[in-house]
Amino acid sequence: MQIKLGRNDKCWCKSGRKYKQCHQSFDEKIARIAAEGHQVPAREMIKNADQIAGIRQSAKINIAVLDYVAEHIHPGMQTEEIDQMVYSLTTQMGGMPAPLHYDGYPKSVCTSVNDQVCHGIPSKDVILKEGDIVNVDASTILNGYFSDSSRMFCIGEVSPEKKKLVEVAKECVYRGLEAVKPWGFLGDMGQAVHDHAFANGYTVVREIGGHGVGLEFHEDPWVSYNSRRGEEMLMVPGMIFTIEPMVNMGRAEIYVDEENDWTVYTEDRKPSAQWEIMVLVTEDGAEILSY
Ligand code: MF3
Ligand code: CO
């Protein structure tokens, strides 16, 4: 239920300004676009300045954690050691790793190697070796605010095929980012992502997407990277979501590990790569909050 705001009431965004001087024309614009048949964001998906400031602080930790991993990752290392680094640094900086105990997840970070698409669980038994490609996906909670991003790392010398996959997967994210603008649609971004992947002979995982983030780990909307320009949800200033396509060298099909019920693999066992950034839609474009 939502009580209709009067023009002189205080705006719902808690700016302290009158509705007519704040979000009234914004709301009317969204309502017109909804009436044309488009999906539009709910108010909960639009963050105010205080919330954005809190999310930004959380993201600072997330970036620092991945910078630290980048400096210390090396061949011969157990993925368990990455988990320990992420836990120690995040907590030293006053945050908590969001994955820990999330839905029963046992560790502080995801480490997905080669044909692991995502949700690889750090372990003493997984030792990074020369030629591996690994995604390290970190997420932080600070004062109730969430951040989420991931990067790929090449361990020592990797094959040219894998190197190209890693590079193109990153380019896909930044092609997507260029398509993020207020009053555009999430499908503009999704199309930019998969066009670039397909142009390079790759596929994009369909079943797992990105998400809104900030006040929760995973918020609406669910974000597809196989979507079409002009489709999916309207983007408006104050929305925060992730761009995190999983790009496969071979076919797009995946399966979930039956033993741990978490780790996702490519069905054809060919490598997969993923980079994740967390993006704020601004008045004139987009800003990366975490990478
Ligand atoms: N960090 C992942 C994402 O990008 C989610 C991991 S869920 C976990 O959305 F429980 F495995 F951590
Ligand atoms: Co994410």
Side-chain angles (χ1 to χ4, degrees):
M1 192 188 82
Q2 210 158 79
I3 296 166
K4 194 169 189 298
L5 278 183
R7 291 170 51 74
N8 291 312
D9 290 340
K10 289 227 190 307
C11 187
W12 54 263
C13 79
K14 303 198 177 83
S15 63
R17 293 186 358 238
K18 288 183 177 171
Y19 185 46
K20 66 181 177 191
Q21 287 150 2
C22 197
H23 274 92
Q24 186 176 15
S25 64
F26 175 90
D27 284 352
E28 286 166 358
K29 185 166 177 181
I30 291 177
R32 281 197 300 276
I33 296 168
E36 291 166 9
H38 290 288
Q39 294 176 51
V40 299
R43 275 181 191 166
E44 300 78 59
M45 298 179 202
I46 300 162
K47 273 72 178 175
N48 67 28
D50 290 344
Q51 292 167 333
I52 292 167
I55 295 163
R56 225 184 263 288
Q57 288 306 114
S58 171
K60 273 194 188 156
I61 298 180
N62 217 57
I63 294 166
V65 164
L66 286 172
D67 285 348
Y68 188 85
V69 170
E71 274 174 38
H72 292 87
I73 197 163
H74 60 85
M77 177 184 227
Q78 304 166 351
T79 52
E80 173 76 23
E81 295 173 65
I82 297 176
D83 191 71
Q84 285 163 5
M85 290 191 309
V86 169
Y87 182 84
S88 330
L89 188 58
T90 307
T91 51
Q92 269 170 38
M93 294 182 78
M96 268 307 283
L100 192 58
H101 309 313
Y102 173 79
D103 239 349
Y105 187 78
K107 296 284 177 175
S108 295
V109 65
C110 298
T111 50
S112 307
V113 186
N114 298 329
D115 63 328
Q116 294 183 335
V117 171
C118 64
H119 304 165
I121 302 178
S123 161
K124 289 192 167 65
D125 299 330
V126 179
I127 300 179
L128 297 175
K129 56 180 194 310
E130 182 102 7
D132 283 343
I133 57 170
V134 55
N135 170 277
V136 178
D137 190 340
S139 316
T140 300
I141 317 174
L142 178 71
N143 304 322
Y145 295 110
F146 290 75
S147 52
D148 186 13
S149 56
S150 79
R151 301 182 201 167
M152 291 300 294
F153 299 101
C154 291
I155 306 303
E157 275 300 309
V158 306
S159 69
E161 292 79 15
K162 279 180 163 175
K163 204 175 202 163
K164 183 179 171 205
L165 177 70
V166 168
E167 281 166 8
V168 170
K170 186 173 190 177
E171 289 164 9
C172 286
V173 167
Y174 288 88
R175 294 288 180 106
L177 177 67
E178 283 169 22
V180 177
K181 294 183 182 64
W183 315 107
F185 296 92
L186 281 173
D188 306 351
M189 179 278 298
Q191 175 116 42
V193 168
H194 73 251
D195 277 357
H196 190 60
F198 292 176
N200 283 279
Y202 302 142
T203 59
V204 179
V205 171
R206 309 190 75 89
E207 297 88 339
I208 314 171
H211 51 94
V213 55
L215 310 183
E216 306 278 351
F217 193 174
H218 295 116
E219 302 174 1
D220 285 339
W222 186 78
V223 179
S224 168
Y225 308 103
N226 284 285
S227 46
R228 299 265 146 214
R229 196 171 294 122
E231 296 184 355
E232 306 292 322
M233 189 175 283
L234 177 72
M235 298 186 280
V236 306
M239 277 172 86
I240 299 176
F241 59 87
T242 64
I243 305 182
E244 52 174 319
M246 293 153 205
V247 179
N248 291 357
M249 192 182 284
R251 296 177 55 84
E253 283 74 23
I254 53 170
Y255 70 92
V256 180
D257 187 312
E258 281 180 14
E259 308 245 294
N260 68 28
D261 224 13
W262 274 105
T263 308
V264 178
Y265 291 82
T266 58
E267 208 167 83
D268 61 12
R269 307 305 300 258
K270 290 191 179 159
S272 179
Q274 178 187 31
W275 296 76
E276 175 179 20
I277 61 174
M278 185 175 154
V279 173
L280 166 70
V281 183
T282 61
E283 293 296 333
D284 51 8
E287 182 190 330
I288 299 176
L289 295 182
S290 188
Y291 57 89

